[in-house]
Amino acid sequence: MSGVFTPELLDRCISCGFCLPACPTYGLTGVEASSPRGRINLMRALETGVLPEDDPTVLEESSFCLGCRACEPVCPAGVRYGALLEEWRDHMWRRRRRPWRLKALLWAVDRPSRVRALGLPRRHAHATRRARGGPHLMLGCFERALYPEVSRSASRLAPELSVPSVQGCCGALHAHNGELERGNALARELGEALPGSIVTTAGGCAAHLAGVLGRERVRELSQWLADRGDAEPPGVSRSPRQRIGLQDSCHLRNGLGVYVEPRELLARVGDYVELPSAAVCCGAAGTYSILRPDDSARVLNRHLDEIADADLDVLAVLNPGCYRQLEQGVRRRRLRTRVMHLAEVLVGTTGAAPGP
Amino acid sequence: MTATSAEIDRLLDRLEQVVGQPNVRADAGALVTYATDATPLQRGRPDLVVLPANTEEVAAVLTLANDARVPVIPRGSGTNLSGGAVPLHGGIVLVLTRMNRLLEISESDLVAVCEPGVRTIELGEAAAAKGLLYPPDPGSQSTATIGGNVAECAGGLRALKYGVTRDYVLGVQAVLATGEVIHSGGRLVKDVAGYDLRRLLCGSEGTLAVMTELTLRLLPAPESSGTGMAYFSALGDAARAVSRVLASGVLPVTLEFLDRVCISAVEDFARIGLDTGAGALLIFGQDGDPHAVERDLGRIAQACEAEGATEVRIAGSPAEAATVLEARRAVLPSLSRLEPLTILEDATVPRSRIAEMVEHIQVLADRYGLKIGTFGHAGDGNLHPTAVLDPADEDAVRRAHRVFGEIFAKAIELEGSITGEHGVGIVKLPHLERQLGAAHVALLRRIKAAFDPNGILNPGKLGS
Ligand SMILES: Cc1cc2nc3c(=O)[nH]c(=O)nc-3n(C[C@H](O)[C@H](O)[C@H](O)COP(=O)(O)OP(=O)(O)OC[C@H]3O[C@@H](n4cnc5c(N)ncnc54)[C@H](O)[C@@H]3O)c2cc1C
Ligand code: SF4
Ligand code: SF4
């Protein structure tokens, strides 16, 4: 079954195994097949026909992978695992093999009109009428529906950003779930709808957009705020100082290398506590928590243990998927910690503050 | 020795009873992922993968396999570079990473006791937390296991001053191919009861017994460390500087070199400001009490200057030190990006012959039309000639095999070794007799037969 993968991507891996300790799913099972190196060997076997397309292990591992890309920064050979995984899922989940839950999700965000409908009943950042030259704040698709306060907070932190009303989904969900072409097309459409710089509050969207549109055009909010370099963000005079932890966004950290900025911002508004697994995937992983709830919960557990041990007041997140995952986990465990997006923490909202 | 599928099926049931059903894998997908290790171009085909949890399970697995005459290939993290964990004749890949408990770090006895699946870095960090040092630090320490380290007798960057894995193995618990459990050595510094079997197991490459518990020597951690670098216009100058350093009564903790090809590759990739006009880069380091470190670094710098170093720098800050070490760490990543296939070898020569050897490697590289960069441990003569090529180019692959054959021959001629730390494995087995002689190799076979009468442990490697 040749032609599934770009040969240059697949050839890169030198099988050194340096990625094994970084991989959360290898951590869970301890078997090579659920490690990055093992999965690359499965891809190679698929590509050369050593394993058939419907090999159960190939199917299972292509979906068990979190897609967190923790295997990338530790790889001495610069293997672009995330890109390989997109090609793999594009092939594996083509047509009938795609899980039905996924079809519904992707349908909902496939057109700007549907994305807009997602956000209608909720109150995200006030839209400015037309897209001018930018910089623009991107509203996201699920984020605008589930966490409209995030874009409102971002808008208050960065009033210089325009918020065009007509903007679709960035296509990250498509790209990571077996619709690579569509995912790239959506990113390009969004790039046209929002000419110039795009600022996003979702790490996953930032990485996907940067991959398609180029890094120069895309900034995640913490990067934008750090670049802008203002002295003190609003909401700083909170007393007593709160204990604040962070959950990195996988693609933001592993794909774009952004992880210092959010920590520095948080340290300005509270006592920043580095959780031991802050950089490890929380198990939300895009659609993973919906498609594989049990594995997702197993991945999440270690994070909840650490949050409980650290007795955090606030856990900051940088991505709507992590937001939902951790919010639900914290609630289920009855922890006192409040989960908030970085933008909300900086603004000092409770998550339900009145509008500006 | 290859088992029939009926035999394998029978074994499968019984193995599942021993280790539990989830810890036996027979699916084609899982088998593909255990067909290889980190060695390029070497591939086997296992019949089963078994992940035992303790010594008793290992013993039970070996007993079953021995009765059925089915090969067993021990495996840690599969990072070795000689094909040591490749199941050449099928059989059971016995993965020891579930046995990963660090049982004890004793400050009073200065020992660590652990299971074989503990990763080197975990042991190092646990020791450091108690103010102790476990010196062997192979480049793969974040992934490789202690069991794999002992089985390959891994070296590392600190070997010149502190020695290699073998120098830290005090005691071994191991399971013989026939299922009996033996102990050799223990917590004692002095112990001469019996042959020194634990030493024999160092570098045994999974062919004599399966190690299930290790007792390792620790040292008090040094107070501080420092590092620096020196450029030379020719590698010969760098080699003479190394001799001068050692003759001056300084035993540095690190003495690494990069040749011209490596310097360019690192600079092209990592852009850390290396001088690509230089013929060689020497990286040196010392640890100990702060005054001694400063004094020694000064002496090393003097020795380098005396041998015509074009530039010498001692890192003044942790950031500078990090850049110096980055130059060394970036070699393999940088070389491996040049072509899809990276063949890393570890021929070793006496220190005084390094320059001669590296120059010869370049002559061979030119003659065979291959790109080979050489870096390595200048202090102990352990070289890493690394060829990068396209595996689709079959002729290049053939030429690479021939070039390494000649490199091994040259190493032997210079009274060196075909392998300093990566092991004989599959790749260097054909060259072994040339180095050791027929009588020696015959003795290895008899030793192997005494440990493993049916030849089930890692067949096709050492002792086969
Ligand atoms: C990028 C890179 C850098 C490296 N740098 C170095 C270096 O600086 N120095 C160095 O010496 N090596 C280095 N290596 C080689 C390799 O990491 C070492 O050989 C390491 O010790 C292998 O450990 P492992 O756990 O991966 O063992 P594996 O590769 O799984 O196995 C190695 C051998 O040990 C046997 N074995 C494993 N566990 C046991 C056990 N419990 N009982 C009996 N036999 C067992 C196996 O059968 C096999 O023959 C490097 C490798 C890579 C890829
Ligand atoms: S770290 Fe990179 S090169 Fe090494 S095995 Fe993993 S993906 Fe392959
Ligand atoms: S993306 Fe994450 S889960 Fe998938 S192989 Fe890489 S590290 Fe493992």
Side-chain angles (χ1 to χ4, degrees):
Chain A
M1 190 63 227
S2 64
V4 178
F5 299 99
T6 308
E8 291 74 39
L9 292 180
L10 206 50
D11 280 351
R12 273 262 72 89
C13 173
I14 58 171
S15 296
C16 66
F18 281 20
C19 48
L20 268 58
C23 175
T25 56
Y26 179 70
L28 286 179
T29 67
V31 298
E32 185 78 28
S34 23
S35 78
R37 177 176 66 181
R39 291 191 174 110
I40 289 172
N41 276 325
L42 291 175
M43 295 179 205
R44 286 175 171 167
L46 181 67
E47 182 77 14
T48 53
V50 168
L51 291 176
E53 273 189 74
D54 57 354
D55 178 87
T57 311
V58 172
L59 281 169
E60 164 65 10
E61 289 302 340
S62 67
S63 107
F64 183 35
C65 174
L66 290 156
C68 67
R69 295 168 65 184
C71 39
E72 288 189 31
V74 295
C75 173
V79 170
R80 290 172 51 212
Y81 181 87
L84 281 168
L85 181 67
E86 285 175 0
E87 295 184 349
W88 200 12
R89 290 205 172 147
D90 193 50
H91 179 77
M92 299 308 293
W93 290 358
R94 196 168 284 167
R95 293 179 306 270
R96 57 186 194 290
R97 269 203 300 263
R98 169 162 313 122
W100 61 267
R101 289 191 184 114
L102 201 55
K103 288 185 196 161
L105 270 180
L106 295 183
W107 181 86
V109 297
D110 198 53
R111 298 271 182 284
S113 56
R114 291 183 205 143
V115 172
R116 208 164 161 219
L118 281 175
L120 273 187
R122 306 296 295 269
R123 302 177 61 208
H124 54 73
H126 285 298
T128 47
R129 207 161 271 289
R130 289 213 46 80
R132 292 180 314 266
H136 303 292
L137 178 66
M138 185 187 139
L139 291 170
C141 45
F142 287 106
E143 188 168 83
R144 84 171 64 164
L146 291 172
Y147 301 107
E149 304 82 5
V150 173
S151 60
R152 286 149 58 102
S153 303
S155 212
R156 277 167 62 181
L157 291 167
E160 69 276 19
L161 301 178
S162 76
V163 191
S165 56
V166 180
Q167 44 171 295
C169 162
C170 72
L173 276 182
H174 290 77
H176 301 152
N177 290 290
E179 283 204 25
L180 188 48
E181 268 313 305
R182 185 74 192 126
N184 292 345
L186 283 170
R188 283 190 296 269
E189 280 171 29
L190 188 68
E192 280 162 28
L194 309 181
S197 295
I198 302 175
V199 179
T200 144
T201 47
C205 307
H208 176 66
L209 275 179
V212 179
L213 302 178
R215 283 189 180 210
E216 356 30 273
R217 278 194 62 190
V218 183
R219 282 280 173 282
E220 182 271 341
L221 181 70
S222 71
Q223 275 180 298
W224 179 261
L225 296 177
D227 288 357
R228 210 182 54 180
D230 32 39
E232 293 281 280
V236 72
S237 60
R238 210 176 348 224
S239 64
R241 284 169 74 83
Q242 297 193 305
R243 288 171 64 75
I244 307 180
L246 175 73
Q247 169 63 52
D248 272 308
S249 148
C250 292
H251 285 200
L252 187 62
R253 181 180 179 113
N254 302 322
L256 293 181
V258 175
Y259 56 93
V260 177
E261 293 88 338
R263 285 169 171 75
E264 287 179 353
L265 289 166
L266 289 171
R268 298 210 307 222
V269 298
D271 287 328
Y272 177 70
V273 181
E274 177 76 18
L275 295 174
S277 302
V280 181
C281 180
C282 67
T287 52
Y288 197 85
S289 57
I290 300 164
L291 298 178
R292 300 185 67 111
D294 294 345
D295 290 323
S296 172
R298 280 162 80 203
V299 175
L300 177 63
N301 270 332
R302 148 176 172 201
H303 295 267
L304 296 176
D305 294 344
E306 290 176 10
I307 293 169
D309 285 348
D311 194 29
L312 295 179
D313 294 305
V314 173
L315 178 78
V317 293
L318 303 167
N319 201 51
C322 318
Y323 204 151
R324 207 176 97 98
Q325 172 87 341
L326 285 152
E327 195 173 55
Q328 289 179 347
V330 161
R331 195 178 305 142
R332 231 177 287 125
R333 284 250 190 132
R334 300 180 200 286
L335 302 180
R336 68 177 194 88
T337 306
R338 216 167 56 223
V339 180
M340 297 168 87
H341 189 280
L342 172 80
E344 297 173 304
V345 180
L346 294 180
V347 161
T349 63
T350 59
Chain B
M1 174 166 46
T2 28
T4 67
S5 58
E7 283 168 338
I8 294 297
D9 285 346
R10 265 198 304 281
L11 251 185
L12 177 68
D13 285 342
R14 308 175 99 183
L15 288 168
E16 284 181 350
Q17 284 162 21
V18 172
V19 297
Q21 192 239 327
N23 298 309
V24 182
R25 296 285 295 255
D27 49 304
L31 298 182
V32 159
T33 62
Y34 287 103
T36 50
D37 51 30
T39 318
L41 306 172
Q42 298 300 325
R43 164 177 298 275
R45 222 204 77 85
D47 296 298
L48 295 169
V49 177
V50 177
L51 296 100
N54 52 47
T55 307
E56 294 69 43
E57 291 186 4
V58 171
V61 172
L62 283 169
T63 306
L64 285 171
N66 190 51
D67 289 348
R69 305 286 190 267
V70 167
V72 173
I73 299 87
R75 178 177 170 116
S77 290
T79 68
N80 81 86
L81 293 164
S82 52
V86 172
L88 209 49
H89 298 286
I92 300 168
V93 171
L94 189 68
V95 183
L96 295 148
T97 47
R98 276 181 75 212
M99 295 176 63
N100 61 357
R101 285 180 307 158
L102 185 49
L103 301 168
E104 184 189 348
I105 301 258
S106 163
E107 287 147 295
S108 51
D109 286 352
L110 286 179
V111 297
V113 182
C114 70
E115 294 184 329
V118 169
R119 289 180 289 126
T120 320
I121 198 162
E122 292 174 308
L123 177 63
E125 286 173 357
K130 296 202 169 183
L132 301 173
L133 175 71
Y134 176 68
D137 60 343
S140 50
Q141 59 174 335
S142 63
T143 304
T145 65
I146 291 294
N149 287 172
V150 177
E152 296 287 7
C153 189
L157 297 192
R158 294 193 278 235
L160 173 61
K161 181 168 177 177
Y162 289 108
V164 295
T165 302
R166 114 164 33 88
D167 301 307
Y168 294 87
V169 180
L170 285 175
V172 174
Q173 179 188 66
V175 185
L176 300 179
T178 37
E180 301 98 322
V181 178
I182 60 155
H183 298 262
S184 172
R187 313 168 76 91
L188 305 175
V189 173
K190 298 181 175 175
D191 180 1
V192 291
Y195 293 139
D196 196 350
L197 295 185
R198 76 205 151 119
R199 284 280 187 137
L200 185 54
L201 291 177
C202 290
S204 60
E205 303 187 9
T207 62
L208 296 183
V210 178
M211 293 176 278
T212 53
E213 191 181 294
L214 299 137
T215 304
L216 303 156
R217 191 158 72 97
L218 302 174
L219 300 178
E223 257 177 77
S224 69
S225 62
T227 169
M229 62 205 274
Y231 290 104
F232 295 86
S233 49
L235 200 99
D237 297 344
R240 271 191 306 278
V242 168
S243 302
R244 187 181 274 264
V245 168
L246 296 169
S248 74
V250 177
L251 189 59
V253 65
T254 310
L255 259 187
E256 298 287 311
F257 80 96
L258 276 62
D259 76 352
R260 191 188 297 278
V261 177
C262 294
I263 297 172
S264 299
V266 169
E267 188 49 30
D268 282 348
F269 164 58
R271 305 241 172 257
I272 47 180
L274 299 186
D275 173 6
T276 50
L281 172 63
L282 195 65
I283 292 169
F284 50 86
Q286 181 60 305
D287 64 5
D289 94 74
H291 294 296
V293 169
E294 201 183 315
R295 183 198 61 211
D296 285 356
L297 291 179
R299 285 191 192 163
I300 299 170
Q302 272 170 13
C304 291
E305 273 155 9
E307 292 297 346
T310 51
E311 188 191 338
V312 184
R313 248 188 296 166
I314 293 175
S317 67
E320 274 184 69
T323 314
V324 171
L325 295 174
E326 175 61 21
R328 169 64 175 81
R329 253 195 301 269
V331 177
L332 189 59
S334 312
L335 287 173
S336 75
R337 274 170 170 82
L338 298 177
E339 292 284 352
L341 184 64
T342 304
I343 305 181
L344 171 68
E345 277 301 346
D346 74 326
T348 300
V349 294
R351 269 194 293 267
S352 54
R353 317 299 286 271
I354 291 176
E356 199 179 331
M357 184 71 195
V358 175
E359 273 153 28
H360 187 70
I361 291 171
Q362 265 328 308
V363 170
L364 289 173
D366 293 343
R367 187 184 306 155
Y368 284 92
L370 289 166
K371 188 163 188 89
I372 303 181
T374 304
F375 62 101
H377 317 289
D380 52 38
N382 184 201
L383 311 179
H384 293 306
T386 304
V388 291
L389 52 138
D390 182 354
D393 182 348
E394 284 170 25
D395 188 56
V397 174
R398 264 195 301 276
R399 277 181 281 138
H401 282 306
R402 281 214 297 278
V403 127
F404 280 113
E406 292 211 28
I407 289 174
F408 297 144
K410 182 73 178 177
I412 294 170
E413 182 195 318
L414 297 178
E415 294 175 41
S417 172
I418 54 176
T419 173
E421 57 180 12
H422 291 171
V424 174
I426 302 170
V427 180
K428 278 156 283 187
L429 194 60
H431 305 279
L432 188 64
E433 190 165 324
R434 209 161 8 148
Q435 179 176 334
L436 299 182
H440 190 152
V441 169
L443 177 61
L444 290 191
R445 294 208 176 99
R446 292 201 297 278
I447 293 174
K448 160 84 173 162
F451 272 81
D452 174 17
N454 296 312
I456 62 158
L457 273 173
N458 215 351
K461 319 277 176 74
L462 272 183
S464 290

